[in-house]
Amino acid sequence: MQIGVPKEIKNHEYRVGLTPASVRELVAHGHTVFVEHDAGLGIGCDDAQYLAAGATVLGTAAEVFERAAMIVKVKEPQPVECRRLRAGQLLFTYLHLAPDPEQTRLLVESGVTAIAYETVTGARGGLPLLAPMSEVAGRMAIQAGAHALEKAHGGRGVLLGGVPGVAPAQVSVIGGGVVGAGAIRMAVGMGAHVTVLDRDIDRLRALDIEYGPRLTTLFATRDAIEAQVLESDLVVGAVLVPGAAAPKLVTRAQLAQMRPGAVLVDVSIDQGGCFETSHPTTHAEPTYVVDGIVHYCVANMPGAVPRTSTFALNNATLPYTLALADKGFPQALFDDAGLMAGLNVHAGRITCRAVAEALDYECVEPGEWLRG
């Protein structure tokens, strides 16, 4: 198969779809890999390393899209990239379609087959291709939140871990999944007073066993969320409904009751955000203030640490990329129900129910349609 890796063009996005090591594996399986010139510079990998791995380096993204049967990316295709996609081509990347009607429309119109990392499921459940970036984003949420709490950045001027004689910051994490666990680990490690809210009692029990008295666990009722948010210096939104838009758990009315200069970090922003006042920001301008509350809503947080993120992501995606290249589409999907769950768009139709419901499309059952 001919596989294309374009350079990412989203604002301050330095990750790349394949590392040289991944390229070498694909070439060893008999595939051809086209990599756009300088696509890997953001992770410290130059064209020479890709050439040594067996890739063919092309001068422009247009050439990569034109010559490849499968495009492997990191972030969702931007409008100019969507218009380069074509019927019969395979796209393997993060999509996050539910809050993004324009991208969805363009992918539907292109006729491309699009498999989303974030809805591929594992043999034991979970989201194996989302997990690596969730781990990075969760840990970064505390790092970014601590920075935003500094007075020079609009925050309350609170040190997360405090000092002897001065209380540490109050940190609330809404959601105890992979993102939440990463945030908790960092916040506890920095000495903050940390509370996690979740509706999964088993998850809360596991976190309680892991952290003991260093972590407060609460069942996430509306009352509990409101009470914690109003008393927090830093709130991390770590809520995920696979494929669907995130629920709004903190309202604008509640901002007026929060501590002035408190910080909201919305890691759910890729799925629309879990705070009513959230809207996507970039690494160039990561924060904004609403009613005295600092919002950090960068939609590609792991892009700030691209080398760590790219290698972690490739560790998870490479087996699936190899399966798609070796077996072709749709055989790879028929052989792996978890990979089939990643199919979001095919030949002008939506095949992910959560996306279809969020954007008012008809949903076509992928397995039945592909067999037909």
Side-chain angles (χ1 to χ4, degrees):
M1 180 180 282
Q2 294 177 316
I3 301 161
V5 183
K7 186 174 183 178
E8 298 291 329
I9 60 174
K10 189 165 185 171
N11 180 277
H12 282 264
E13 180 53 70
Y14 304 107
R15 290 173 289 180
V16 64
L18 294 175
T19 64
S22 294
V23 169
R24 185 178 178 184
E25 291 293 323
L26 287 159
V27 171
H29 280 241
H31 306 295
T32 300
V33 182
F34 300 114
V35 178
E36 184 182 352
H37 171 59
D38 285 347
L41 284 185
I43 66 166
C45 295
D46 60 19
D47 289 347
Q49 290 171 271
Y50 281 99
L51 289 168
T56 298
V57 175
L58 299 178
T60 66
E63 293 176 273
V64 172
F65 279 87
E66 181 180 353
R67 297 181 65 175
M70 175 166 67
I71 298 293
V72 179
K73 281 175 44 60
V74 178
K75 287 306 293 177
E76 70 280 357
Q78 303 303 291
V80 66
E81 295 175 309
C82 288
R83 294 185 178 96
R84 288 179 173 143
L85 295 166
R86 62 182 183 273
Q89 198 170 40
L90 185 61
L91 172 66
F92 193 34
T93 188
Y94 288 116
L95 293 176
H96 300 291
L97 294 179
D100 194 344
E102 181 187 17
Q103 183 200 172
T104 304
R105 176 182 61 81
L106 290 171
L107 292 180
V108 167
E109 290 176 354
S110 74
V112 74
T113 296
I115 299 174
Y117 292 161
E118 73 273 7
T119 61
V120 172
T121 58
R124 292 174 293 178
L127 303 169
L129 305 191
L130 188 62
M133 297 304 91
S134 295
E135 290 168 344
V136 172
R139 296 181 184 213
M140 283 191 66
I142 299 303
Q143 182 173 299
H147 192 53
L149 271 172
E150 296 173 13
K151 194 67 176 178
H153 298 100
R156 300 193 68 224
V158 174
L159 182 64
L160 216 61
V163 293
V166 181
Q170 300 282 334
V171 176
S172 292
V173 179
I174 306 176
V178 179
V179 171
I184 291 165
R185 179 174 296 277
M186 289 291 286
V188 168
M190 293 176 73
H193 184 279
V194 187
T195 299
V196 60
L197 302 102
D198 201 291
R199 287 183 173 271
D200 185 339
I201 290 295
D202 289 336
R203 185 64 192 138
L204 293 177
R205 186 174 290 115
L207 289 167
D208 179 72
I209 291 171
E210 181 175 359
Y211 289 100
R214 294 177 297 166
L215 176 68
T216 300
T217 61
L218 292 176
F219 187 77
T221 62
R222 293 180 185 276
D223 278 351
I225 292 172
E226 181 178 61
Q228 282 304 125
V229 165
L230 301 190
E231 295 299 318
S232 294
D233 299 295
L234 170 60
V235 180
V236 175
V239 180
L240 174 68
V241 180
K248 305 300 183 186
L249 300 178
V250 176
T251 68
R252 177 160 189 170
Q254 290 168 333
L255 298 190
Q257 303 174 62
M258 292 179 66
R259 295 173 173 177
V263 174
L264 300 177
V265 177
D266 198 341
V267 188
S268 304
I269 194 64
D270 275 329
Q271 295 295 124
C274 63
F275 307 134
E276 184 182 355
T277 44
S278 291
H279 64 72
T281 61
T282 68
H283 289 292
E285 297 183 31
T287 63
Y288 60 92
V289 178
V290 177
D291 296 341
I293 306 303
V294 180
H295 293 58
Y296 181 101
C297 303
V298 174
N300 59 327
M301 289 177 65
V305 286
R307 187 172 176 87
T308 297
S309 298
T310 297
F311 280 89
L313 181 59
N314 270 235
N315 289 342
T317 58
L318 181 58
Y320 294 95
T321 306
L322 283 168
L324 288 165
D326 289 347
K327 299 178 180 180
F329 171 83
Q331 190 59 52
L333 275 66
F334 287 137
D335 290 348
D336 186 342
L339 187 56
M340 179 74 82
L343 186 64
N344 278 213
V345 181
H346 175 63
R349 307 293 291 276
I350 299 296
T351 55
C352 176
R353 186 162 300 281
V355 172
E357 291 177 353
L359 298 176
D360 197 26
Y361 280 84
E362 177 188 2
C363 181
V364 177
E365 187 63 35
E368 295 178 7
W369 190 27
L370 292 173
R371 286 189 177 89

